Amino acid sequence: MKVSQNWLKTLVDIDSTPQDLSEKLSIGGFEVEDLQDCSKNVNGVVLGKVLSVLKHQGSDKLSICQVDIGNTKILQVICGARNIKSNIFVYVATVGAHLSAVNLIIKRSEIRGVISEGMICSLKELGLEDSSDGIAIIEEDIAIKHQLGTPGAVLLDLNDYIYDLAITANRPDGMSVLGIAREVSALLETKFHAPELSNKYKIKSLKEIDLCSEAITSDCLYTITSIEGVNGKQLSPGWLKDRIEKSGIKSINLLVDLTNFILLEQGQPLHAFDKDKLSKLIGKDPFPDDFSVRKANDKESLVCLDGKKYELNENITIIACCNIPIAIAGLIGGLDTAVSDTTTSIYLEAAVFNPVSIRKSSKEIGIRTESSSRFEKGISFENTIDSVTRAINLIEQFFGDKKPIINISKELINEEKFIKLRRNRIHQILGPILLKNPESISSEKLVKRNLSDKEIEDKLKLIGCILKSKEYGWDVHVIPNRSQDLLREIDLIEEIARLVGYDLFDLKLPNPIKPGKLSYSQLALKKLNNGFIENGFNEVLSYSLVGEENDDLIKISNPLLLETSCLRDNIWQEHLRIINRNIKVGQTSCWIFEIGNIFQKKIDLVQEQILSGGIFGKRRFEKWADSDKENDLNYYEARGKLNEAISSLNINMIDKPTDSIEFLHPGKSAKLFIEGKEAGYFGEIHPRFILEKKALKKLYLFSLKVNNVLDASTRKNKWIPIYKNFSTFPKMERDINFVFDRKYLISEIISQIKKSGKNLLEDIHLIDVFEDEKFGDKFVSYTFRLSYRSSDKTLLESDITNIHSNIITTLENKFKAKLRD
């Protein structure tokens, strides 16, 4: 929101510098992003009078001018403009002036043998117009009101500052100059001068008007007013044009500029429809009841003021006349009914629309306007009638008395709403303020006291509140333009603190509490994250919002883009894209992981945290050493990298081959189990992805359920190390060789051996795998080495004979295995 200081000065007394006021506004909640000095471009430019003009002897186009700028010495200036002549008033840039519009510093110079001591300027050179035919000639009746030498900023009304404010969503009052002026009044504690309404007009309720219930809710309003006898050719006076253009809105003509002026001053968007054009469009004279607010129909379209044709749909709210679209509600008007040079009568629309409907329309057509930004933040319908009245007052000021009727969508009930404000609650929330003791000479001695009733009342009155004294405190009525953010008692208390100054209140720190610490699960998650990084993986972060790829995804209710309209149900697809991008730019390896959430549509909506990642290529630090070797990792090498990364958590993860994961190779993929529960998967990407160019190289994908990992790693027997004495007695080793059916997993066999081995069995290793035609295709030979050790003696053969025999018997019975000779 841009606003000029000169405009603010007409509404509030300002007794501080622009720099100090900027700081106060920023501290108060209206951050000043930029403070622009309007006179900066014309510093050193003054009012001058051309006394005489002589042709330059060395040039056909140059003239030697004697210019009086009010000093005792007359300046000699060389000028090449065709419209230069004597006895005219001009803008003179003196020596040292910097004309930033043309990036020129004025110097005393010699032009073809003649000294020039300045420059007579055009409006283009002053940065006020895009092009100029010659120098700017000041009208005599304006110039004679000022002394020669008067700064050009005064004549051009550039002795001004523009505040560019960042208005937050919770302060919609900042979208109006009146709201900013009231804020300045409160911060500086100076008088606020609200513009008076010179005339008020008859109000009529429209009972037959058709209004969309989504766009015009109970706290909204629609008004339409017919005004005759206007002139679309009439241009705005200088003061009006200056105010709206300094606020960033281009001047069009008086009628359009007045609607924009009310938008800026009151924060209430208005729109004017040409009545004759409406009549031509609908084929009859339009009446207030002919207007309606409705949802657009599919395949309807509208050419708007920006010259673009917009295709409409049911998500867009429109204004219609006799059911024909004439504007997109709250955003932009239609071109066919716009005010132009031929306009002699108008319908003036003012409304308060539901912010949600405006946001939907804005998103659908892809534009945001000054009007829509105000509707989206929320405005009060209690201020609408006064804004329309103010607009008609100004129209009558230029076009004579009209006495129109303001047609409104509902009866307005004059009901004052009060907020209960308790004195003891203020003191309880804010505490005492610290002030210097007036009786003490030392500045270090401060007095603590609660805010007085008068201080509380004064601060609230500064922002326009009306207070009624009660035994418990006050009943407070809030003015319309603050009714969107001052809704509760705590809001008023916060406002009091803001206006008093947060820095004046005594510190109220909480009593010291026991320092917090990370839980075992948090420490385990941190250790898991570090384990991957230490083993050469890069952590990535991907968006949890994706496009609508299938019906199983959970859709969000109000997406910004179609590409981010659903919650993801996996992370591997994005990791595949990341690895592909790395391959395309020439990377020979890419190891990534991510800890994030996925969302699944089951009986209830389920959010689950997983660890997901991908592995491509070998990590090499010295490429020349094995540059001719195969770059791809085999399945076991890649699976080993995952084991290394989680090894610090001391958990046992079992692989069970699977062919049920559609995006993984059916012969090179496994489901991962932790403590007997399925916890994730690991596998090579399916070959069809490479054939379809969805994967550019062979790579491996993995996923683990974080809760399963953390639960297993934080059990007491795993998380807290348990130390036992190492046996100093030698171990005994025995090898067993069986022929097994291939359907049995190594992990299953080892698990059964451990159960049968009792306390003396220390370790088991698979040392050989042998395949032979005589076994058949379904069978394979495994050789295991079993290590036995006792903690209190050297084992004898007799000590392990029964245990070893029991293991052999169990394997033969459990797995139908045959002992090889």
Side-chain angles (χ1 to χ4, degrees):
M1 174 70 183
K2 292 182 178 182
V3 60
S4 79
Q5 178 162 280
N6 286 349
W7 191 353
L8 286 175
K9 282 182 176 179
T10 65
L11 300 169
V12 62
D13 297 335
I14 297 177
D15 55 7
S16 69
T17 65
Q19 291 74 20
D20 288 343
L21 181 55
S22 294
E23 185 176 352
K24 288 180 182 291
L25 284 167
S26 296
I27 293 172
F30 286 162
E31 182 187 355
V32 179
E33 293 184 323
D34 185 35
L35 179 64
Q36 180 183 344
D37 182 358
C38 296
S39 65
K40 183 178 180 180
N41 291 340
V42 294
N43 284 341
V45 177
V46 299
L47 172 64
K49 183 178 181 180
V50 180
L51 301 179
S52 64
V53 178
L54 297 174
K55 282 292 180 184
H56 194 297
Q57 295 297 321
S59 173
D60 295 334
K61 296 181 179 180
L62 298 179
S63 301
I64 304 171
C65 308
Q66 301 298 317
V67 184
D68 185 0
I69 59 168
N71 296 333
T72 54
K73 182 181 178 182
I74 305 299
L75 295 182
Q76 179 173 280
V77 179
I78 306 299
C79 180
R82 288 178 294 178
N83 61 338
I84 188 70
K85 57 185 177 180
S86 58
N87 294 320
I88 59 172
F89 294 91
V90 293
Y91 297 107
V92 182
T94 57
V95 173
H98 177 223
L99 301 179
S100 57
V102 290
N103 194 25
L104 178 65
I105 297 175
I106 305 302
K107 299 176 180 178
R108 188 175 186 273
S109 57
E110 183 177 320
I111 301 175
R112 298 197 179 185
V114 179
I115 297 296
S116 180
E117 301 171 300
M119 176 178 173
I120 300 174
C121 302
S122 66
L123 292 179
K124 179 183 178 181
E125 290 158 341
L126 296 177
L128 301 176
E129 290 185 357
D130 295 332
S131 61
S132 297
D133 292 333
I135 59 169
I137 299 174
I138 305 169
E139 295 180 14
E140 187 172 351
D141 56 344
I142 295 175
I144 60 176
K145 296 177 182 177
H146 305 276
Q147 293 184 348
L148 295 177
T150 299
V154 176
L155 282 87
L156 293 166
D157 202 19
L158 294 176
N159 197 18
D160 195 4
Y161 285 85
I162 296 175
Y163 299 86
D164 191 353
L165 304 170
I167 307 301
T168 54
N170 67 319
R171 290 296 302 274
D173 60 299
M175 297 298 286
S176 69
V177 178
L178 282 177
I180 296 168
R182 193 179 289 277
E183 179 72 8
V184 171
S185 170
L187 294 172
L188 300 181
E189 298 187 3
T190 55
K191 193 171 182 180
F192 174 69
H193 312 282
E196 295 183 1
L197 301 177
S198 55
N199 293 316
K200 294 200 173 182
Y201 308 98
K202 184 178 178 181
I203 296 174
K204 179 184 176 183
S205 179
L206 294 172
K207 297 180 180 179
E208 301 298 325
I209 190 168
D210 184 19
L211 301 174
C212 171
S213 59
E214 181 186 329
I216 305 292
T217 55
S218 59
D219 57 350
C220 297
L221 184 69
Y222 187 80
T223 76
I224 195 79
T225 307
S226 175
I227 303 174
E228 305 286 339
V230 295
N231 182 3
K233 292 182 179 179
Q234 188 165 336
L235 299 178
S236 299
W239 66 268
L240 177 58
K241 184 177 178 181
D242 177 70
R243 290 181 185 181
I244 66 171
E245 288 191 340
K246 283 180 179 175
S247 295
I249 298 178
K250 184 180 178 181
S251 175
I252 306 295
N253 58 43
L254 180 56
L255 285 173
V256 175
D257 290 354
L258 284 174
T259 62
N260 287 329
F261 178 78
I262 297 300
L263 170 101
L264 294 168
E265 182 189 73
Q266 304 283 333
Q268 170 65 62
L270 302 178
H271 185 72
F273 299 102
D274 187 306
K275 198 171 180 180
D276 293 331
K277 290 181 180 180
L278 277 173
S279 178
K280 184 178 179 181
L281 181 69
I282 65 176
K284 71 181 189 72
D285 289 338
F287 294 97
D289 286 337
D290 292 330
F291 289 84
S292 62
V293 180
R294 65 172 174 87
K295 291 294 183 180
N297 300 317
D298 289 338
K299 297 185 180 179
E300 279 188 315
S301 62
L302 181 67
V303 178
C304 293
L305 292 172
D306 57 3
K308 295 180 181 179
K309 183 179 180 180
Y310 293 96
E311 299 299 328
L312 308 178
N313 59 54
E314 60 184 9
N315 291 322
I316 300 172
T317 306
I318 63 166
I319 309 298
C321 187
C322 289
N323 209 37
I324 299 174
I326 56 174
I328 298 175
L331 269 85
I332 189 169
L335 187 62
D336 290 342
T337 56
V339 170
S340 64
D341 291 349
T342 61
T343 300
T344 57
S345 58
I346 62 170
Y347 265 112
L348 185 66
E349 176 200 71
V352 175
F353 298 105
N354 180 11
V356 174
S357 68
I358 300 302
R359 277 193 288 270
K360 283 183 178 179
S361 298
S362 177
K363 177 189 164 187
E364 284 293 325
I365 66 173
I367 63 171
R368 198 162 183 262
T369 61
E370 290 284 348
S371 295
S372 68
S373 64
R374 285 162 174 80
F375 286 127
E376 287 175 21
K377 285 183 170 65
I379 58 178
S380 173
F381 74 90
E382 296 175 24
N383 196 45
T384 302
I385 299 300
D386 284 348
S387 298
V388 176
T389 303
R390 170 76 167 144
I392 299 172
N393 285 177
L394 290 171
I395 289 172
E396 289 184 334
Q397 181 179 323
F398 294 101
F399 300 109
D401 290 347
K402 305 299 174 190
K403 304 299 183 195
I405 297 174
I406 302 173
N407 299 282
I408 64 175
S409 60
K410 66 178 181 180
E411 294 284 352
L412 297 179
I413 301 172
N414 190 13
E415 179 185 359
E416 288 188 342
K417 297 179 181 178
F418 289 91
I419 301 172
K420 183 179 179 180
L421 181 61
R422 295 166 290 175
R423 184 183 296 104
N424 61 351
R425 186 64 174 160
I426 296 173
H427 299 327
Q428 181 185 358
I429 295 291
L430 300 182
I433 56 173
L434 289 173
L435 296 173
K436 182 181 176 183
N437 188 349
E439 298 178 359
S440 173
I441 299 175
S442 173
S443 60
E444 295 180 0
K445 292 187 177 181
L446 300 174
V447 177
K448 285 186 183 182
R449 67 169 177 82
N450 287 325
L451 288 172
S452 67
D453 285 3
K454 185 177 185 305
E455 287 171 320
I456 293 169
E457 291 172 1
D458 287 346
K459 295 303 179 186
L460 291 177
K461 286 177 181 177
L462 283 171
I463 57 172
C465 293
I466 299 170
L467 290 84
K468 290 184 179 180
S469 294
K470 299 289 181 179
E471 185 177 345
Y472 53 76
W474 303 267
D475 282 345
V476 182
H477 173 66
V478 178
I479 59 173
N481 77 335
R482 292 302 304 273
S483 62
Q484 303 295 310
D485 66 300
L486 299 182
L487 303 171
R488 305 164 297 165
E489 180 183 44
I490 193 65
D491 298 328
L492 294 172
I493 294 173
E494 182 187 4
E495 200 70 2
I496 293 166
R498 185 178 70 86
L499 294 173
V500 169
Y502 296 116
D503 55 325
L504 294 182
F505 288 94
D506 188 23
L507 295 176
K508 284 184 67 176
L509 297 176
N511 292 327
I513 57 176
K514 186 178 179 180
K517 63 179 182 179
L518 296 177
S519 65
Y520 287 162
S521 292
Q522 290 169 326
L523 289 170
L525 187 61
K526 194 172 183 180
K527 188 183 287 189
L528 180 64
N529 193 82
N530 290 338
F532 276 88
I533 294 171
E534 289 164 2
N535 280 278
F537 285 79
N538 290 312
E539 185 175 10
V540 297
L541 180 64
S542 58
Y543 289 117
S544 57
L545 295 177
V546 295
E548 188 177 351
E549 298 168 356
N550 57 65
D551 294 335
D552 294 332
L553 297 178
I554 300 169
K555 298 178 183 178
I556 59 176
S557 58
N558 191 24
L560 291 175
L561 299 167
L562 289 175
E563 293 82 1
T564 55
S565 60
C566 298
L567 294 169
R568 67 185 178 190
D569 63 354
N570 69 77
I571 306 181
W572 70 266
Q573 288 179 319
E574 181 57 32
H575 287 179
L576 178 58
R577 285 189 279 267
I578 291 172
I579 293 174
N580 282 341
R581 285 197 292 271
N582 277 268
I583 293 171
K584 285 179 179 178
V585 297
Q587 293 295 325
T588 57
S589 65
C590 182
W591 298 2
I592 58 173
F593 80 98
E594 176 179 356
I595 298 174
N597 292 319
I598 59 172
F599 308 86
Q600 295 174 330
K601 191 190 296 183
K602 296 182 179 178
I603 298 173
D604 295 321
L605 302 182
V606 177
Q607 175 178 315
E608 184 176 34
Q609 189 178 36
I610 65 169
L611 185 153
S612 183
I615 301 173
F616 157 69
K618 292 181 179 179
R619 277 283 168 93
R620 299 191 186 118
F621 292 99
E622 295 186 7
K623 202 169 183 179
W624 59 270
D626 55 353
S627 59
D628 294 332
K629 293 184 179 180
E630 177 65 38
N631 180 57
D632 293 334
L633 292 170
N634 63 38
Y635 179 91
Y636 300 102
E637 288 174 322
R639 178 65 181 83
K641 296 301 177 185
L642 177 59
N643 258 6
E644 289 176 17
I646 66 169
S647 60
S648 61
L649 294 182
N650 192 28
I651 58 176
N652 186 27
M653 196 157 56
I654 305 299
D655 295 48
K656 292 187 178 181
T658 182
D659 58 2
S660 62
I661 303 174
E662 61 177 11
F663 54 88
L664 295 181
H665 194 302
K668 297 181 181 180
S669 59
K671 289 184 178 180
L672 306 178
F673 289 79
I674 299 174
E675 296 183 333
K677 298 177 183 177
E678 186 178 335
Y681 60 79
F682 179 91
E684 183 183 316
I685 194 73
H686 199 290
R688 80 167 187 275
F689 280 76
I690 297 176
L691 292 174
E692 295 170 359
K693 302 297 183 183
K694 292 179 181 177
L696 302 180
K697 297 277 187 177
K698 183 174 76 173
L699 55 95
Y700 301 90
L701 299 172
F702 61 85
S703 176
L704 291 171
K705 296 177 181 178
V706 171
N707 283 343
N708 291 43
V709 175
L710 299 185
D711 289 345
S713 63
T714 54
R715 301 197 189 284
K716 281 191 175 181
N717 62 335
K718 295 284 185 68
W719 187 254
I720 301 174
I722 298 174
Y723 298 97
K724 59 182 180 180
N725 291 329
F726 183 79
S727 176
T728 57
F729 298 98
K731 65 181 178 180
M732 295 181 68
E733 293 182 340
R734 295 289 183 271
D735 291 350
I736 57 174
N737 189 327
F738 278 93
V739 177
F740 289 91
D741 193 314
R742 289 180 183 271
K743 69 180 181 180
Y744 297 116
L745 301 177
I746 298 292
S747 58
E748 293 175 338
I749 299 170
I750 291 175
S751 177
Q752 190 60 48
I753 294 173
K754 284 182 178 178
K755 289 178 183 177
S756 305
K758 298 182 180 178
N759 295 332
L760 293 181
L761 182 61
E762 182 182 67
D763 210 350
I764 309 161
H765 290 288
L766 175 69
I767 60 172
D768 185 57
V769 178
F770 179 68
E771 299 175 354
D772 198 309
E773 291 180 359
K774 66 181 180 180
F775 297 152
D777 294 336
K778 293 184 178 181
F779 296 91
V780 64
S781 172
Y782 297 136
T783 302
F784 296 95
R785 179 160 292 163
L786 280 58
S787 300
Y788 298 94
R789 192 195 302 266
S790 172
S791 60
D792 52 12
K793 69 172 186 176
T794 300
L795 292 174
L796 301 175
E797 184 69 29
S798 58
D799 294 326
I800 66 169
T801 299
N802 290 337
I803 297 173
H804 196 69
S805 297
N806 184 47
I807 291 172
I808 292 172
T809 303
T810 301
L811 293 178
E812 288 175 335
N813 295 334
K814 181 78 174 177
F815 300 103
K816 302 293 187 285
K818 293 180 180 179
L819 189 65
R820 287 183 64 199
D821 295 334

